[in-house]
Amino acid sequence: GVSWNAPTKLLPLTPHHFSMQTTADYYCAYCGEPSTTFIDLSAGLTQQYVEDCQVCCRPNILYITIDEDTLDVDIQTDCDDR
Protein backbone atom coordinates (compact mmCIF):
# COMPACT_ATOMS: atom_id res chain seq x y z
CA GLY A 1 0.00 0.00 0.00
CA VAL A 2 0.96 3.62 -0.41
CA SER A 3 1.58 5.55 2.78
CA TRP A 4 -0.56 8.69 2.87
CA ASN A 5 2.14 10.26 5.01
CA ALA A 6 4.73 10.20 2.27
CA PRO A 7 7.63 12.58 2.82
CA THR A 8 7.04 15.87 1.09
CA LYS A 9 9.53 18.44 -0.02
CA LEU A 10 10.01 20.97 2.74
CA LEU A 11 9.14 24.49 1.77
CA PRO A 12 11.65 27.16 2.66
CA LEU A 13 10.43 29.09 5.67
CA THR A 14 9.46 32.62 4.75
CA PRO A 15 8.12 35.34 7.05
CA HIS A 16 4.54 34.86 5.86
CA HIS A 17 4.75 31.08 6.14
CA PHE A 18 2.56 29.88 8.98
CA SER A 19 4.19 28.34 12.00
CA MET A 20 4.24 24.55 12.08
CA GLN A 21 3.26 24.59 15.72
CA THR A 22 0.17 25.99 17.38
CA THR A 23 -1.67 25.64 20.65
CA ALA A 24 -5.22 24.53 21.31
CA ASP A 25 -7.39 24.10 24.36
CA TYR A 26 -9.10 20.90 25.43
CA TYR A 27 -11.22 19.87 28.39
CA CYS A 28 -10.04 17.01 30.57
CA ALA A 29 -12.13 13.87 30.14
CA TYR A 30 -11.82 13.27 33.88
CA CYS A 31 -12.06 16.56 35.76
CA GLY A 32 -13.44 18.82 33.03
CA GLU A 33 -10.79 21.49 33.54
CA PRO A 34 -9.40 23.25 30.46
CA SER A 35 -5.79 22.65 29.49
CA THR A 36 -3.67 23.87 26.60
CA THR A 37 -1.63 21.57 24.41
CA PHE A 38 0.96 22.16 21.70
CA ILE A 39 0.01 20.88 18.26
CA ASP A 40 2.62 20.09 15.63
CA LEU A 41 0.86 20.91 12.36
CA SER A 42 3.52 19.11 10.35
CA ALA A 43 2.50 15.82 12.00
CA GLY A 44 -0.70 15.65 9.96
CA LEU A 45 -4.29 16.88 9.86
CA THR A 46 -5.51 14.09 12.12
CA GLN A 47 -3.50 13.14 15.17
CA GLN A 48 -3.98 11.11 18.30
CA TYR A 49 -1.83 11.04 21.38
CA VAL A 50 -2.04 10.88 25.15
CA GLU A 51 -1.38 13.89 27.34
CA ASP A 52 -1.71 14.20 31.10
CA CYS A 53 -4.17 16.80 32.39
CA GLN A 54 -2.35 19.80 33.85
CA VAL A 55 -4.86 19.88 36.73
CA CYS A 56 -5.61 16.29 37.80
CA CYS A 57 -2.62 14.64 36.04
CA ARG A 58 -4.70 11.83 34.55
CA PRO A 59 -4.02 10.71 30.98
CA ASN A 60 -6.33 12.02 28.27
CA ILE A 61 -6.44 10.60 24.77
CA LEU A 62 -6.51 13.60 22.46
CA TYR A 63 -8.16 13.14 19.07
CA ILE A 64 -7.05 16.11 17.01
CA THR A 65 -8.39 17.24 13.67
CA ILE A 66 -6.99 20.26 11.83
CA ASP A 67 -8.87 22.10 9.11
CA GLU A 68 -6.64 22.11 6.04
CA ASP A 69 -7.81 25.54 4.89
CA THR A 70 -8.23 27.54 8.09
CA LEU A 71 -5.86 25.49 10.32
CA ASP A 72 -8.56 25.53 13.00
CA VAL A 73 -7.89 22.81 15.54
CA ASP A 74 -10.60 20.62 17.02
CA ILE A 75 -9.80 18.35 19.96
CA GLN A 76 -11.97 15.56 21.32
CA THR A 77 -10.84 13.87 24.53
CA ASP A 78 -11.37 10.43 25.96
CA CYS A 79 -10.31 8.68 29.15
CA ASP A 80 -7.22 6.52 28.83
CA ASP A 81 -8.46 3.68 31.03
CA ARG A 82 -6.24 0.72 30.36
Side-chain angles (χ1 to χ4, degrees), residues 26-71:
Y26 67 93
Y27 291 93
C28 175
Y30 296 91
C31 71
E33 290 293 322
S35 292
T36 302
T37 184
F38 275 98
I39 313 260
D40 181 2
L41 297 175
S42 64
L45 296 177
T46 55
Q47 303 178 36
Q48 176 184 336
Y49 55 87
V50 176
E51 183 161 307
D52 292 341
C53 172
Q54 293 160 11
V55 179
C56 71
C57 299
R58 286 185 282 192
N60 282 259
I61 307 174
L62 304 185
Y63 300 98
I64 295 159
T65 50
I66 301 164
D67 186 291
E68 193 172 6
D69 299 319
T70 64
L71 299 180

Side-chain angles (χ1 to χ4, degrees), residues 6 11 13 20 24 31 42 51 63 66 73 76 80:
L11 295 169
L13 287 178
M20 293 308 283
C31 71
S42 64
E51 183 161 307
Y63 300 98
I66 301 164
V73 177
Q76 302 294 324
D80 186 25

